[in-house]
Amino acid sequence: MLQTQTPDDIYVLEAGAARAELQKDPELIEQAWRRIIEKNPSYANSYNMLGYLELNRGNYDLAIEYMQKYAFLSPDLANPHDSLGEVYLAIGRYEEAEAEFQTSVKMQPDFYHSLINLGKVYLARGQLKRGVEILEALRGQVAGSDLEMRVDREIISTYLRAGLL
């Protein structure tokens, strides 16, 4: 009903993008997020979503471009730096990834995604002690909280991917 009454409303468009995500059709997803940008070029989350879409497609330069726009449009948020760092990490640009994760953690010290990703950077660079220290410190910070199981799961898979037991 809202689609017919207010088809250009950003939240209606975002709900359409969420429906496209459920269908797992990259073309529909891209169209939905691009439509949002057409209506509001400053809608930051669109660039984040398109950035991850392009990362998953292997279009790294375009993914970086989208994530940089996301960071530009959301200067007070930690997540854009984490997202950009994830692209850099995926393509082995570890120094740039580290810088983005550090920026994210400075902005939001409890942003566990960035702390885990920072640990991943150090493990990937062979700085095992430093990576393990960050990840284990994070485990201590979330112990007993609702996040504990989710963080443990991510840390364990990070260790396994790095060949650590």
Side-chain angles (χ1 to χ4, degrees):
M1 180 146 178
L2 285 175
Q3 274 185 305
T4 54
Q5 290 178 350
T6 57
D8 293 336
D9 179 86
I10 288 297
Y11 300 111
V12 170
L13 292 170
E14 192 165 14
R19 277 193 310 279
E21 294 274 349
L22 291 173
Q23 294 179 32
K24 303 206 184 296
D25 181 338
E27 297 307 316
L28 286 177
I29 296 167
E30 180 180 9
Q31 289 171 11
W33 288 109
R34 285 192 183 283
R35 179 134 192 256
I36 292 170
I37 290 172
E38 287 172 14
K39 298 299 174 187
N40 183 351
S42 297
Y43 198 71
N45 190 47
S46 296
Y47 296 101
N48 187 37
M49 301 308 287
L50 287 168
Y52 279 113
L53 183 68
E54 296 303 335
L55 174 63
N56 292 331
R57 289 176 169 169
N59 298 328
Y60 304 118
D61 290 338
L62 192 52
I64 290 168
E65 183 180 322
Y66 282 132
M67 295 307 190
Q68 287 173 334
K69 285 180 183 177
Y70 178 39
F72 176 78
L73 291 169
S74 304
D76 298 331
L77 297 180
N79 191 62
H81 296 283
D82 181 71
S83 297
L84 181 55
E86 285 189 82
V87 177
Y88 288 139
L89 178 60
I91 59 176
R93 290 170 57 176
Y94 300 127
E95 288 181 21
E96 291 161 293
E98 178 185 7
E100 293 299 329
F101 296 138
Q102 289 284 5
T103 299
S104 178
V105 169
K106 283 179 189 161
M107 295 176 83
Q108 187 178 340
D110 65 343
F111 194 40
Y112 74 90
H113 293 289
S114 289
L115 290 166
I116 290 171
N117 286 328
L118 196 53
K120 288 178 183 180
V121 167
Y122 295 132
L123 294 176
R125 289 168 60 180
Q127 297 172 306
L128 300 182
K129 184 177 186 227
R130 193 170 185 187
V132 169
E133 283 174 356
I134 288 173
L135 296 173
E136 291 304 315
L138 177 59
R139 285 188 76 229
Q141 290 173 6
V142 299
S145 76
D146 293 341
L147 289 175
E148 183 175 23
M149 188 177 298
R150 188 175 338 155
V151 168
D152 275 349
R153 196 174 307 127
E154 280 215 46
I155 289 173
I156 289 167
S157 73
T158 297
Y159 286 157
L160 292 173
R161 278 193 302 276
L164 299 174
L165 302 175

PDB file of all heavy atoms in Angstrom, residues 49-68:
ATOM      1  N   MET A  49      25.817  -0.479   1.211  1.00  0.00           N
ATOM      2  CA  MET A  49      25.232  -1.702   0.655  1.00  0.00           C
ATOM      3  C   MET A  49      25.778  -1.993  -0.749  1.00  0.00           C
ATOM      4  O   MET A  49      26.096  -3.141  -1.075  1.00  0.00           O
ATOM      5  CB  MET A  49      23.710  -1.588   0.639  1.00  0.00           C
ATOM      6  CG  MET A  49      23.104  -1.361   2.024  1.00  0.00           C
ATOM      7  SD  MET A  49      23.641  -2.544   3.281  1.00  0.00           S
ATOM      8  CE  MET A  49      22.742  -3.972   2.751  1.00  0.00           C
ATOM      9  N   LEU A  50      25.895  -0.960  -1.575  1.00  0.00           N
ATOM     10  CA  LEU A  50      26.458  -1.153  -2.915  1.00  0.00           C
ATOM     11  C   LEU A  50      27.936  -1.539  -2.837  1.00  0.00           C
ATOM     12  O   LEU A  50      28.423  -2.332  -3.640  1.00  0.00           O
ATOM     13  CB  LEU A  50      26.268   0.100  -3.768  1.00  0.00           C
ATOM     14  CG  LEU A  50      24.837   0.348  -4.237  1.00  0.00           C
ATOM     15  CD1 LEU A  50      24.704   1.755  -4.823  1.00  0.00           C
ATOM     16  CD2 LEU A  50      24.409  -0.702  -5.252  1.00  0.00           C
ATOM     17  N   GLY A  51      28.635  -0.993  -1.846  1.00  0.00           N
ATOM     18  CA  GLY A  51      30.043  -1.341  -1.663  1.00  0.00           C
ATOM     19  C   GLY A  51      30.218  -2.819  -1.359  1.00  0.00           C
ATOM     20  O   GLY A  51      31.084  -3.486  -1.940  1.00  0.00           O
ATOM     21  N   TYR A  52      29.401  -3.354  -0.473  1.00  0.00           N
ATOM     22  CA  TYR A  52      29.484  -4.786  -0.166  1.00  0.00           C
ATOM     23  C   TYR A  52      29.056  -5.642  -1.352  1.00  0.00           C
ATOM     24  O   TYR A  52      29.635  -6.700  -1.601  1.00  0.00           O
ATOM     25  CB  TYR A  52      28.663  -5.142   1.078  1.00  0.00           C
ATOM     26  CG  TYR A  52      29.387  -4.827   2.353  1.00  0.00           C
ATOM     27  CD1 TYR A  52      28.941  -3.832   3.199  1.00  0.00           C
ATOM     28  CD2 TYR A  52      30.553  -5.516   2.703  1.00  0.00           C
ATOM     29  CE1 TYR A  52      29.618  -3.530   4.368  1.00  0.00           C
ATOM     30  CE2 TYR A  52      31.231  -5.229   3.863  1.00  0.00           C
ATOM     31  CZ  TYR A  52      30.762  -4.229   4.691  1.00  0.00           C
ATOM     32  OH  TYR A  52      31.439  -3.937   5.851  1.00  0.00           O
ATOM     33  N   LEU A  53      28.076  -5.172  -2.094  1.00  0.00           N
ATOM     34  CA  LEU A  53      27.655  -5.895  -3.288  1.00  0.00           C
ATOM     35  C   LEU A  53      28.812  -6.010  -4.276  1.00  0.00           C
ATOM     36  O   LEU A  53      29.106  -7.092  -4.799  1.00  0.00           O
ATOM     37  CB  LEU A  53      26.459  -5.178  -3.936  1.00  0.00           C
ATOM     38  CG  LEU A  53      25.853  -5.837  -5.152  1.00  0.00           C
ATOM     39  CD1 LEU A  53      25.160  -7.138  -4.768  1.00  0.00           C
ATOM     40  CD2 LEU A  53      24.851  -4.893  -5.805  1.00  0.00           C
ATOM     41  N   GLU A  54      29.509  -4.899  -4.489  1.00  0.00           N
ATOM     42  CA  GLU A  54      30.644  -4.912  -5.420  1.00  0.00           C
ATOM     43  C   GLU A  54      31.827  -5.697  -4.858  1.00  0.00           C
ATOM     44  O   GLU A  54      32.549  -6.364  -5.608  1.00  0.00           O
ATOM     45  CB  GLU A  54      31.057  -3.491  -5.800  1.00  0.00           C
ATOM     46  CG  GLU A  54      29.996  -2.735  -6.571  1.00  0.00           C
ATOM     47  CD  GLU A  54      29.533  -3.422  -7.850  1.00  0.00           C
ATOM     48  OE1 GLU A  54      30.289  -4.230  -8.443  1.00  0.00           O
ATOM     49  OE2 GLU A  54      28.389  -3.162  -8.272  1.00  0.00           O
ATOM     50  N   LEU A  55      32.036  -5.652  -3.555  1.00  0.00           N
ATOM     51  CA  LEU A  55      33.083  -6.471  -2.933  1.00  0.00           C
ATOM     52  C   LEU A  55      32.814  -7.940  -3.210  1.00  0.00           C
ATOM     53  O   LEU A  55      33.712  -8.685  -3.624  1.00  0.00           O
ATOM     54  CB  LEU A  55      33.142  -6.210  -1.423  1.00  0.00           C
ATOM     55  CG  LEU A  55      34.085  -7.104  -0.614  1.00  0.00           C
ATOM     56  CD1 LEU A  55      35.530  -6.922  -1.036  1.00  0.00           C
ATOM     57  CD2 LEU A  55      33.921  -6.811   0.878  1.00  0.00           C
ATOM     58  N   ASN A  56      31.576  -8.365  -3.013  1.00  0.00           N
ATOM     59  CA  ASN A  56      31.214  -9.766  -3.254  1.00  0.00           C
ATOM     60  C   ASN A  56      31.310 -10.150  -4.722  1.00  0.00           C
ATOM     61  O   ASN A  56      31.510 -11.318  -5.040  1.00  0.00           O
ATOM     62  CB  ASN A  56      29.812 -10.054  -2.717  1.00  0.00           C
ATOM     63  CG  ASN A  56      29.761  -9.989  -1.205  1.00  0.00           C
ATOM     64  OD1 ASN A  56      30.753 -10.264  -0.526  1.00  0.00           O
ATOM     65  ND2 ASN A  56      28.632  -9.598  -0.664  1.00  0.00           N
ATOM     66  N   ARG A  57      31.185  -9.196  -5.598  1.00  0.00           N
ATOM     67  CA  ARG A  57      31.324  -9.438  -7.039  1.00  0.00           C
ATOM     68  C   ARG A  57      32.780  -9.423  -7.483  1.00  0.00           C
ATOM     69  O   ARG A  57      33.088  -9.764  -8.614  1.00  0.00           O
ATOM     70  CB  ARG A  57      30.572  -8.376  -7.833  1.00  0.00           C
ATOM     71  CG  ARG A  57      29.078  -8.470  -7.767  1.00  0.00           C
ATOM     72  CD  ARG A  57      28.462  -7.304  -8.512  1.00  0.00           C
ATOM     73  NE  ARG A  57      27.038  -7.472  -8.711  1.00  0.00           N
ATOM     74  CZ  ARG A  57      26.236  -6.510  -9.143  1.00  0.00           C
ATOM     75  NH1 ARG A  57      26.711  -5.311  -9.439  1.00  0.00           N
ATOM     76  NH2 ARG A  57      24.951  -6.752  -9.300  1.00  0.00           N
ATOM     77  N   GLY A  58      33.668  -8.974  -6.597  1.00  0.00           N
ATOM     78  CA  GLY A  58      35.084  -8.885  -6.951  1.00  0.00           C
ATOM     79  C   GLY A  58      35.456  -7.587  -7.640  1.00  0.00           C
ATOM     80  O   GLY A  58      36.558  -7.450  -8.161  1.00  0.00           O
ATOM     81  N   ASN A  59      34.563  -6.613  -7.621  1.00  0.00           N
ATOM     82  CA  ASN A  59      34.833  -5.294  -8.207  1.00  0.00           C
ATOM     83  C   ASN A  59      35.394  -4.378  -7.120  1.00  0.00           C
ATOM     84  O   ASN A  59      34.698  -3.524  -6.581  1.00  0.00           O
ATOM     85  CB  ASN A  59      33.551  -4.699  -8.806  1.00  0.00           C
ATOM     86  CG  ASN A  59      33.003  -5.537  -9.929  1.00  0.00           C
ATOM     87  OD1 ASN A  59      33.759  -6.174 -10.662  1.00  0.00           O
ATOM     88  ND2 ASN A  59      31.695  -5.553 -10.070  1.00  0.00           N
ATOM     89  N   TYR A  60      36.663  -4.581  -6.787  1.00  0.00           N
ATOM     90  CA  TYR A  60      37.252  -3.945  -5.617  1.00  0.00           C
ATOM     91  C   TYR A  60      37.374  -2.435  -5.745  1.00  0.00           C
ATOM     92  O   TYR A  60      37.123  -1.713  -4.776  1.00  0.00           O
ATOM     93  CB  TYR A  60      38.604  -4.585  -5.301  1.00  0.00           C
ATOM     94  CG  TYR A  60      38.487  -6.076  -5.110  1.00  0.00           C
ATOM     95  CD1 TYR A  60      39.158  -6.961  -5.944  1.00  0.00           C
ATOM     96  CD2 TYR A  60      37.659  -6.607  -4.118  1.00  0.00           C
ATOM     97  CE1 TYR A  60      39.028  -8.334  -5.783  1.00  0.00           C
ATOM     98  CE2 TYR A  60      37.522  -7.969  -3.956  1.00  0.00           C
ATOM     99  CZ  TYR A  60      38.211  -8.831  -4.791  1.00  0.00           C
ATOM    100  OH  TYR A  60      38.071 -10.182  -4.630  1.00  0.00           O
ATOM    101  N   ASP A  61      37.758  -1.945  -6.910  1.00  0.00           N
ATOM    102  CA  ASP A  61      37.882  -0.497  -7.058  1.00  0.00           C
ATOM    103  C   ASP A  61      36.540   0.192  -6.864  1.00  0.00           C
ATOM    104  O   ASP A  61      36.460   1.232  -6.205  1.00  0.00           O
ATOM    105  CB  ASP A  61      38.471  -0.137  -8.431  1.00  0.00           C
ATOM    106  CG  ASP A  61      39.937  -0.513  -8.556  1.00  0.00           C
ATOM    107  OD1 ASP A  61      40.619  -0.659  -7.517  1.00  0.00           O
ATOM    108  OD2 ASP A  61      40.413  -0.665  -9.700  1.00  0.00           O
ATOM    109  N   LEU A  62      35.491  -0.383  -7.410  1.00  0.00           N
ATOM    110  CA  LEU A  62      34.158   0.188  -7.247  1.00  0.00           C
ATOM    111  C   LEU A  62      33.698   0.051  -5.793  1.00  0.00           C
ATOM    112  O   LEU A  62      33.083   0.979  -5.244  1.00  0.00           O
ATOM    113  CB  LEU A  62      33.172  -0.492  -8.197  1.00  0.00           C
ATOM    114  CG  LEU A  62      31.808   0.156  -8.357  1.00  0.00           C
ATOM    115  CD1 LEU A  62      31.912   1.639  -8.696  1.00  0.00           C
ATOM    116  CD2 LEU A  62      31.015  -0.580  -9.438  1.00  0.00           C
ATOM    117  N   ALA A  63      34.028  -1.055  -5.157  1.00  0.00           N
ATOM    118  CA  ALA A  63      33.686  -1.236  -3.743  1.00  0.00           C
ATOM    119  C   ALA A  63      34.360  -0.160  -2.900  1.00  0.00           C
ATOM    120  O   ALA A  63      33.732   0.445  -2.021  1.00  0.00           O
ATOM    121  CB  ALA A  63      34.088  -2.626  -3.265  1.00  0.00           C
ATOM    122  N   ILE A  64      35.627   0.101  -3.170  1.00  0.00           N
ATOM    123  CA  ILE A  64      36.355   1.153  -2.440  1.00  0.00           C
ATOM    124  C   ILE A  64      35.701   2.510  -2.679  1.00  0.00           C
ATOM    125  O   ILE A  64      35.492   3.286  -1.739  1.00  0.00           O
ATOM    126  CB  ILE A  64      37.846   1.166  -2.846  1.00  0.00           C
ATOM    127  CG1 ILE A  64      38.544  -0.084  -2.299  1.00  0.00           C
ATOM    128  CG2 ILE A  64      38.535   2.436  -2.357  1.00  0.00           C
ATOM    129  CD1 ILE A  64      39.934  -0.316  -2.867  1.00  0.00           C
ATOM    130  N   GLU A  65      35.358   2.786  -3.916  1.00  0.00           N
ATOM    131  CA  GLU A  65      34.725   4.062  -4.246  1.00  0.00           C
ATOM    132  C   GLU A  65      33.420   4.252  -3.464  1.00  0.00           C
ATOM    133  O   GLU A  65      33.174   5.315  -2.891  1.00  0.00           O
ATOM    134  CB  GLU A  65      34.460   4.121  -5.748  1.00  0.00           C
ATOM    135  CG  GLU A  65      33.878   5.425  -6.226  1.00  0.00           C
ATOM    136  CD  GLU A  65      33.641   5.418  -7.727  1.00  0.00           C
ATOM    137  OE1 GLU A  65      34.463   4.859  -8.477  1.00  0.00           O
ATOM    138  OE2 GLU A  65      32.604   5.977  -8.140  1.00  0.00           O
ATOM    139  N   TYR A  66      32.598   3.215  -3.431  1.00  0.00           N
ATOM    140  CA  TYR A  66      31.340   3.315  -2.680  1.00  0.00           C
ATOM    141  C   TYR A  66      31.594   3.499  -1.194  1.00  0.00           C
ATOM    142  O   TYR A  66      30.933   4.307  -0.533  1.00  0.00           O
ATOM    143  CB  TYR A  66      30.472   2.072  -2.895  1.00  0.00           C
ATOM    144  CG  TYR A  66      29.746   2.050  -4.210  1.00  0.00           C
ATOM    145  CD1 TYR A  66      29.778   0.917  -5.015  1.00  0.00           C
ATOM    146  CD2 TYR A  66      28.999   3.133  -4.660  1.00  0.00           C
ATOM    147  CE1 TYR A  66      29.099   0.872  -6.221  1.00  0.00           C
ATOM    148  CE2 TYR A  66      28.320   3.106  -5.862  1.00  0.00           C
ATOM    149  CZ  TYR A  66      28.371   1.968  -6.638  1.00  0.00           C
ATOM    150  OH  TYR A  66      27.702   1.931  -7.825  1.00  0.00           O
ATOM    151  N   MET A  67      32.545   2.749  -0.649  1.00  0.00           N
ATOM    152  CA  MET A  67      32.813   2.855   0.788  1.00  0.00           C
ATOM    153  C   MET A  67      33.400   4.221   1.134  1.00  0.00           C
ATOM    154  O   MET A  67      33.121   4.764   2.214  1.00  0.00           O
ATOM    155  CB  MET A  67      33.743   1.737   1.245  1.00  0.00           C
ATOM    156  CG  MET A  67      33.155   0.344   1.130  1.00  0.00           C
ATOM    157  SD  MET A  67      31.546   0.141   1.929  1.00  0.00           S
ATOM    158  CE  MET A  67      31.369  -1.633   1.817  1.00  0.00           C
ATOM    159  N   GLN A  68      34.191   4.785   0.241  1.00  0.00           N
ATOM    160  CA  GLN A  68      34.714   6.127   0.493  1.00  0.00           C
ATOM    161  C   GLN A  68      33.587   7.158   0.508  1.00  0.00           C
ATOM    162  O   GLN A  68      33.588   8.077   1.325  1.00  0.00           O
ATOM    163  CB  GLN A  68      35.773   6.480  -0.551  1.00  0.00           C
ATOM    164  CG  GLN A  68      37.071   5.739  -0.347  1.00  0.00           C
ATOM    165  CD  GLN A  68      38.075   5.947  -1.475  1.00  0.00           C
ATOM    166  OE1 GLN A  68      37.718   6.236  -2.613  1.00  0.00           O
ATOM    167  NE2 GLN A  68      39.350   5.784  -1.150  1.00  0.00           N
TER     168      GLN A  68
END
